[in-house]
Amino acid sequence: MTTVGFIGSGYLGTTIARLAIEAGHQVVLSNSRGPETLADTAAELGPRASAATSGEAAAASDIVVVTVPVKAFPNLPAAPLAGKTVIDTCNYGPERDGHIPGLDSKSLTSSELLLGYIPDAMLVKAFNNIFFKHLLSLARPARAADRSYLPIAGDSASAKAGCR
């Protein structure tokens, strides 16, 4: 069984966690406010869900989903993410994140910026182009005729394969 860690447990993170549990995985949730603030969410998700600090979630997981504002990238726990597949769901919004010159000038993508903070992770961009409610309502089993497909992008073939 795969353990999926979540750094950021808002609407999107919690939705992906719910789907991961339904697929038979363990999940470890974290947020910037501490594990105690996720107790109710973990209880609602059931016995395969737990809450931890971001560093603990990263260390305990095989795959880690980062779903935080871009301005929070400097606070990510780089060491426990080294060598792991990290799914980047983040989109830059200067009104929320403040202006980041490299992103404003388009000399960097938000994933390149993220990789600068977690350089030893294998980064895959996914889930940043779908509304969290649609992710749940459009979920279908593998090989279902009406299954939706989402694009993923990354430089590591093995990391992308692990996200399917």
Side-chain angles (χ1 to χ4, degrees):
M1 175 178 356
T2 301
T3 300
V4 183
F6 289 83
I7 299 177
S9 296
Y11 293 126
L12 183 61
T14 301
T15 299
I16 298 169
R18 182 178 313 282
L19 293 169
I21 288 168
E22 289 175 10
H25 304 296
Q26 291 280 133
V27 301
V28 182
L29 306 170
S30 72
N31 64 18
S32 62
R33 295 176 307 280
E36 64 281 352
T37 66
L38 292 167
D40 290 343
T41 302
E44 177 195 332
L45 291 173
R48 287 195 305 239
S50 61
T53 66
S54 296
E56 291 166 343
S61 301
D62 303 301
I63 296 172
V64 179
V65 178
V66 173
T67 181
V68 299
V70 170
K71 68 182 177 184
F73 287 177
N75 303 321
L76 294 174
L81 294 171
K84 296 201 178 177
T85 296
V86 173
I87 300 174
D88 167 17
T89 72
C90 308
N91 289 320
Y92 173 55
E95 62 285 343
R96 175 198 61 210
D97 297 314
H99 286 279
I100 299 171
L103 298 179
D104 289 341
S105 70
K106 297 184 175 38
S107 63
L108 276 179
T109 65
S110 61
S111 291
E112 289 169 327
L113 180 67
L114 175 56
L115 202 51
Y117 290 104
I118 55 170
D120 298 318
M122 296 180 294
L123 200 62
V124 176
K125 186 77 165 185
F127 301 114
N128 68 313
N129 63 336
I130 187 166
F131 185 49
F132 77 95
K133 288 183 180 180
H134 294 158
L135 193 57
L136 261 185
S137 67
L138 298 174
R140 302 289 187 275
R143 293 178 284 290
D146 61 344
R147 187 171 186 196
S148 296
Y149 293 88
L150 298 174
I152 62 172
D155 292 335
S156 169
S158 63
K160 289 187 293 187
C163 293
R164 294 186 179 155

